[in-house]
Amino acid sequence: MPHSTPHSNSMDPVDQDSTLPDAAPVSLECPGAEDDSLSGSNVVAQGPSNANVKLEDLFDEDDDEEFPSSGASKEGASSSSPPPSPPMIAPSAKYSDPGVMKTFYQRLFPFRYLFQWLNHSMKPSNDFSHREFALTLQNDAYLRYQSFPTSDLLRKDIIDKNPSRFEIGPVYTTNPRDRKTLRKSSAFRPLAKELVFDIDLTDYDEIRTCCDKANICHKCWSFITMAIKVVDVALRDDFGFQHIMWVYSGRRGAHAWISDKRARNMDDQRRRSIAGYLEVIKGGAQSGKKVNVKRPLHPHLARSLDILKEHFQNDVLVQQNPWAKPEKAERLLQLLPDKTLNDALRKKWEAAPGRSSASKWADIDALAKAGASKNLDGKALLEAKQDIVLEYTYPRLDVEVSKKQIHLLKSPFVVHPGTGRVCVPIDTRRVEDFDPLGVPTVTELIHEIDAWGSHHQDADSEGGSKRLQDYEKTRLRPYVDLFRTLVGVLLRAEQGVKRERDDDDPMEF
């Protein structure tokens, strides 16, 4: 990192979402015999072959069955046929129930917009058909190297297999399902993948006092808010990326997906460079000073401090009160450069054991100005305080997630298996307003469809100008609408890139 001094401590190994081993060989002779093979943990089922599908059939807005409505059937349907029934889920049903997940995939998951986002075009292309998907089934079997020519085939397979979650991998040189048929294994390699970043609150356990491990609350979620602000502006202003989507992980963190073509095509070396540029906090919980940056501060760090200083005062000093306990206050003293000043501070705090962290932070400047240390280096104290602010507020990135194209990351809009919450996009224009505990669970969403139907039966039977899709009847609507907007901006940009490339190419005869 250009603004960091060397540090001997290495990052802790990734304990989840890591790159997984190769899958078992694909059976090319019996593509339909899948049932007996799903008990293993690295099984790849042979999917449907690439079919000729009319584009207008895929994207006909007047006949969209991606989000089937539970209202009345369309005009022209047989009058003797009853209207489709709304999903009936028992009140006691858990979000892990297979029936709940199947209903979610059938009625609420935005497969079309996911296809457009990953395909970068309305027309099916290798950006999608050569993309790896990895499915975790209800029995914990894990299917690597799944691929699909169209969004309809992805939707069909997901509904059929009904995974508890699925992950997205890179675009490969060939269809991932065909990798075993290649003469040379080296011919199968990743070509492109969104640049991604992962922020997890468990990495803040040593500084957050309200929760630990998988638990979160509004107080500690502010660390994720800080991280999004700092990383997002760096990606946009320092690297020029425009198509960035932040997604709630479903429990205790957030993922950033950068879809700019330049980002997708980056090799691993460039990805490591960007990750290194953004990495400031280094070392585990038992290490000493975790921030070691050069002076004068890199413009990115100076800007980050300006963003974070208000959060430090309110969210850290007041809400977290990180130095209330004597052993935590001792940690603060270890980060200050003057022993005489430290002794004076320690004496003052021992005389007032209930002193708040905000007061202890103010005591540093008060005793320094009062001459507690005659040999105090004011510049060194200022730099130490800046480093402390960074250590307690700067994003703690799982940089290993960002370094390799082949890394798999949980898809947006899947359901977190531990909480039942949907992994929804975060609107960065109102990032302060995002409430992770208010994100709907899958069972809540299905019951909202039921509730809407019971209150709007007359409207459904009378018909209307536009029949609502099921997601529009639930609290998932603003998140799907945000996703659709971000995808639309990306598609327009990709069309512009294609036009520029076509204009630059010599005419062919």
Side-chain angles (χ1 to χ4, degrees):
M1 181 178 66
H3 49 253
S4 176
T5 54
H7 197 287
S8 59
N9 291 349
S10 59
M11 292 294 295
D12 294 332
V14 180
D15 62 354
Q16 61 181 356
D17 285 336
S18 58
T19 304
L20 292 158
D22 197 3
V26 181
S27 173
L28 299 177
E29 290 78 19
C30 302
E34 300 172 359
D35 295 343
D36 294 338
S37 64
L38 295 185
S39 59
S41 60
N42 282 320
V43 181
V44 176
Q46 182 71 11
S49 60
N50 195 343
N52 294 323
V53 183
K54 291 183 179 180
L55 190 60
E56 58 268 25
D57 293 338
L58 287 175
F59 300 101
D60 185 356
E61 293 295 343
D62 296 328
D63 188 22
D64 188 353
E65 290 303 320
E66 177 178 334
F67 302 102
S69 173
S70 53
S73 57
K74 293 183 178 181
E75 183 180 354
S78 171
S79 59
S80 61
S81 300
S85 299
M88 298 303 295
I89 301 296
S92 60
K94 302 294 185 182
Y95 47 77
S96 57
D97 288 352
V100 171
M101 291 305 302
K102 185 175 286 289
T103 299
F104 174 74
Y105 289 131
Q106 288 174 327
R107 296 189 172 273
L108 292 169
F109 193 93
F111 287 102
R112 173 178 299 183
Y113 303 136
L114 185 77
F115 164 81
Q116 294 171 359
W117 176 57
L118 296 174
N119 186 62
H120 317 113
S121 171
M122 301 288 282
K123 182 179 179 181
S125 71
N126 287 347
D127 278 5
F128 190 79
S129 63
H130 288 184
R131 171 84 68 164
E132 178 189 359
F133 292 85
L135 281 58
T136 302
L137 303 188
Q138 299 289 342
N139 63 355
D140 291 333
Y142 194 78
L143 308 186
R144 286 287 309 269
Y145 301 112
Q146 307 296 286
S147 59
F148 309 93
T150 67
S151 63
D152 284 354
L153 293 174
L154 169 65
R155 180 177 183 270
K156 180 181 183 299
D157 199 65
I158 293 295
I159 291 173
D160 288 345
K161 290 189 172 69
N162 197 20
S164 59
R165 60 184 274 184
F166 64 89
E167 297 167 329
I168 297 172
V171 179
Y172 282 96
T173 49
T174 190
N175 189 323
R177 292 182 186 269
D178 298 335
R179 71 196 187 286
K180 296 295 184 180
T181 67
L182 299 176
R183 271 184 157 180
K184 296 181 179 179
S185 59
S186 59
F188 181 70
R189 55 185 175 80
L191 284 179
K193 167 75 186 304
E194 292 77 12
L195 178 64
V196 295
F197 291 92
D198 181 15
I199 306 166
D200 193 308
L201 276 175
T202 54
D203 293 323
Y204 292 79
D205 279 357
E206 63 179 331
I207 61 174
R208 61 174 177 157
T209 59
C210 52
C211 307
D212 65 353
K213 299 180 180 178
N215 303 305
I216 71 164
C217 68
H218 294 119
K219 288 182 180 181
C220 55
W221 183 258
S222 63
F223 287 114
I224 301 296
T225 301
M226 299 178 217
I228 291 175
K229 287 182 177 181
V230 169
V231 174
D232 193 79
V233 72
L235 292 171
R236 295 181 189 278
D237 292 359
D238 300 349
F239 296 98
F241 297 131
Q242 299 177 25
H243 305 288
I244 305 168
M245 180 170 67
W246 288 90
V247 180
Y248 173 47
S249 71
R251 172 174 274 174
R252 59 178 183 266
H255 302 151
W257 296 76
I258 298 91
S259 297
D260 299 64
K261 189 175 184 65
R262 180 165 54 89
R264 301 195 311 264
N265 292 337
M266 282 182 174
D267 59 21
D268 289 350
Q269 178 58 47
R270 287 184 173 87
R271 291 168 192 262
R272 285 193 295 269
S273 296
I274 293 179
Y277 178 90
L278 293 172
E279 184 183 22
V280 171
I281 310 295
K282 298 184 179 182
Q286 304 304 319
S287 62
K289 195 169 185 290
K290 293 181 174 60
V291 174
N292 296 275
V293 294
K294 297 177 181 178
R295 272 17 187 233
L297 286 176
H298 188 279
H300 161 61
L301 289 180
R303 178 186 59 216
S304 298
L305 274 173
D306 191 53
I307 294 171
L308 296 169
K309 60 186 180 183
E310 184 175 345
H311 285 286
F312 179 76
Q313 290 292 334
N314 298 326
D315 298 321
V316 176
L317 293 183
V318 177
Q319 297 296 329
Q320 294 296 329
N321 195 14
W323 307 309
K325 297 180 179 179
E327 62 272 19
K328 295 294 186 178
E330 194 62 33
R331 166 64 182 167
L332 171 61
L333 295 177
Q334 292 173 2
L335 299 174
L336 297 176
D338 190 278
K339 184 179 183 301
T340 305
L341 176 63
N342 290 356
D343 292 340
L345 288 168
R346 186 180 293 109
K347 182 178 180 180
K348 182 178 181 68
W349 297 344
E350 287 175 351
R355 200 161 180 78
S356 69
S357 295
S359 297
K360 290 177 179 177
W361 182 252
D363 290 340
I364 298 174
D365 282 347
L367 292 187
K369 291 177 181 178
S373 175
K374 295 181 180 179
N375 299 319
L376 178 65
D377 184 337
K379 182 173 179 291
L381 180 61
L382 173 62
E383 292 177 355
K385 290 183 66 180
Q386 289 175 338
D387 290 350
I388 292 168
V389 172
L390 290 173
E391 180 167 330
Y392 282 80
T393 58
Y394 189 87
R396 299 186 172 215
L397 302 173
D398 184 353
V399 293
E400 299 304 316
V401 172
S402 310
K403 290 180 178 180
K404 292 185 178 181
Q405 280 185 328
I406 61 174
H407 193 91
L408 294 159
L409 194 61
K410 187 166 47 182
S411 170
F413 288 98
V414 299
V415 175
H416 191 287
T419 65
R421 300 193 189 280
V422 181
C423 300
V424 296
I426 298 171
D427 190 345
T428 53
R429 297 167 301 180
R430 293 180 287 273
V431 66
E432 299 269 6
D433 298 332
F434 182 79
D435 179 7
L437 303 180
V439 171
T441 66
V442 61
T443 49
E444 290 172 347
L445 292 171
I446 294 173
H447 288 311
E448 285 171 17
I449 298 176
D450 292 340
W452 194 97
S454 64
H455 288 89
H456 298 80
Q457 287 180 352
D458 293 339
D460 280 346
S461 60
E462 293 172 2
S465 58
K466 182 181 183 296
R467 190 177 61 180
L468 289 181
Q469 298 177 23
D470 278 338
Y471 84 88
E472 295 178 289
K473 305 169 186 176
T474 72
R475 287 182 292 149
L476 195 62
R477 179 173 186 168
Y479 303 110
V480 175
D481 289 346
L482 173 61
F483 188 40
R484 181 179 58 191
T485 299
L486 295 173
V487 170
V489 173
L490 174 63
L491 292 184
R492 287 192 292 272
E494 290 288 327
Q495 291 170 357
V497 169
K498 185 178 186 302
R499 283 196 297 269
E500 291 175 6
R501 186 168 61 247
D502 292 343
D503 292 342
D504 292 340
D505 287 343
M507 185 176 295
E508 298 180 358
F509 293 91

